[in-house]
Amino acid sequence: MSRRYDSRTTIFSPEGRLYQVEYAMEAIGNAGTAIGILSKDGAVLVGEKKVTSKLLQTSTSTEKMYKIDDHVACAVAGIMSDANILINTARVQAQRYTYAYQEPMPVEQLVQSLCDTKQGYTQFGGLRPFGVSFLFAGWDKNYGFQLYMSDPSGNYSGWKAAAIGANNQAAQSMLKQDYKDDITREEAVQLALKVLSKTMDSTSLTSEKLELAEVFLTPSGNVNYQVCSPDSLSKLLLKFGVTQAATEAS
Amino acid sequence: MSIFEYNGSALVAMVGKNCFAIASDRRLGVQLQTIATDFQRISKIHDRLFLGLSGLATDAQTLYQRLLFRHKLYQLREERDMKPETFANLVSALLYEKRFGPYFCQPVIAGLGDEDKPFICTMDSIGAKELAKDFVVAGTASESLYGACESMFKEDMEPEELFETVSQALLSSVDRDCLSGWGGHVYVVTPTEVKERILKGRMD
């Protein structure tokens, strides 16, 4: 390994790699898993909360899920402080677009705009990349429901189901097996919870360790982003039979 | 002719018992010519906060879009809606930023604050706030509106009576102003619902 090509973000190694970007992805590999699944009538985001302590002050704010605009939300994995900066940037970008064009920013354009910001930190300025991966779930009138995954290099792509954070490869292969193209939103929730329960390290799954959010259309045709309350989440976990330890559920 | 009188406008907001009403005329003109008779001068910021902007229509539209921008970001960061008092301070600050090249608007802000207490205020085009307990007015018909509101206003009116009072005050005042009129648009807001009504007045 050519360690001498590590310390600057803005140079390639002889093998053509950007080490700082790869190290950023390492950092994300230690963070709580987040899974996103696209269905015909909505997109589902599930996240594993890493920090659970009795001493933690309870608040209604979420740790893994954030609203970017009325029609786009994201799940994060990685360094939270880096994520906060990028989420704020994304929110401002979405509002600037709405101010200029008087309509909601298309999801892919928002993701691309944020990824352009991330890319800048891999090419100039001498600053390290952001240690965050995102799963963006949103709806726009051009392409309907969409799910995008982006990483510290500034790369992004659209997915039907994706996972980021710890054990993401295991989660991704499980999703590949069980995902069907005509999956409904309820089935997507079930699948996401099932996959997450299998990839999580903890011995038991309670609603305190998870976050669930959905992006869907209301009957009146408006996009809605809703975070599941802890009570509803507990009921869902019981309903789908995933409250047991990961080893028992099969 | 003053730039504030280019498009013509009439705005009034009144406080009632745990409710408020905000009303505007519907005319959009270019000096003496009437261009539209369904112009929206009052916009919703959130379910319990309304903003009316009188004066130059283009500045009113741009100012509203900028305020919506700021409010949206506030909502996302603070995970709650802005209080009317806070919003009034924001409007005032935004207007003062353009102290030496101002927006030619006079805003009227009306909302329900903590404990559903109604809040109304107006300010001049560079952000000097004027809080009132009873009513605030703005626009080319403001002088007539001051007179009409002063005589018709009563404290603690219920929503239905408030609607009647605001409507009568608005319609009688715009009748005396050639630049505003063509009906009225009234919002009566209580803690539980928002009632929007269109008034038919003298269509001239």
Side-chain angles (χ1 to χ4, degrees), chain A residues 104-209:
Chain A
M105 190 170 191
V107 187
E108 186 170 354
Q109 283 194 38
L110 177 62
V111 176
Q112 190 158 35
S113 170
L114 194 68
C115 286
D116 287 347
T117 308
K118 288 209 246 186
Q119 188 274 346
Y121 286 76
T122 68
Q123 196 171 27
F124 41 77
L127 304 169
R128 67 162 174 83
F130 290 97
V132 204
S133 273
F134 285 104
L135 280 173
F136 289 98
W139 182 92
D140 61 47
K141 67 181 194 305
N142 305 309
Y143 293 106
F145 288 105
Q146 298 147 75
L147 180 69
Y148 294 96
M149 177 165 79
S150 81
D151 62 28
S153 64
N155 255 333
Y156 76 92
S157 42
W159 293 84
K160 295 178 187 172
I164 51 175
N167 299 325
N168 65 330
Q169 269 155 332
Q172 196 93 19
S173 52
M174 262 186 257
L175 286 169
K176 202 157 135 182
Q177 277 182 317
D178 295 331
Y179 181 83
K180 308 179 310 240
D181 273 334
D182 56 354
I183 198 172
T184 65
R185 188 152 52 94
E186 229 208 290
E187 287 168 351
V189 171
Q190 183 175 13
L191 177 60
L193 289 174
K194 199 178 79 168
V195 171
L196 195 65
S197 71
K198 291 200 182 151
T199 58
M200 269 171 76
D201 293 333
S202 58
T203 45
S204 67
L205 206 56
T206 59
S207 63
E208 291 159 356
K209 298 207 179 102

Side-chain angles (χ1 to χ4, degrees), chain A residues 60-62 67-70 88 91-92 95-96 99 102, chain B residues 62 64-66 68-70 72-73 75-77 79 103:
Chain A
T60 47
S61 308
T62 51
K67 190 174 172 188
I68 305 292
D69 198 355
D70 291 328
N88 196 43
R91 285 173 173 168
V92 175
Q95 288 311 117
R96 272 207 207 111
Y99 178 68
Q102 291 299 299
Chain B
T62 301
Y64 167 65
Q65 286 164 8
R66 280 193 69 193
L68 203 61
F69 180 107
R70 298 286 295 263
K72 269 282 183 70
L73 284 173
Q75 252 182 341
L76 284 166
R77 284 189 198 124
E79 292 177 13
Y103 288 112

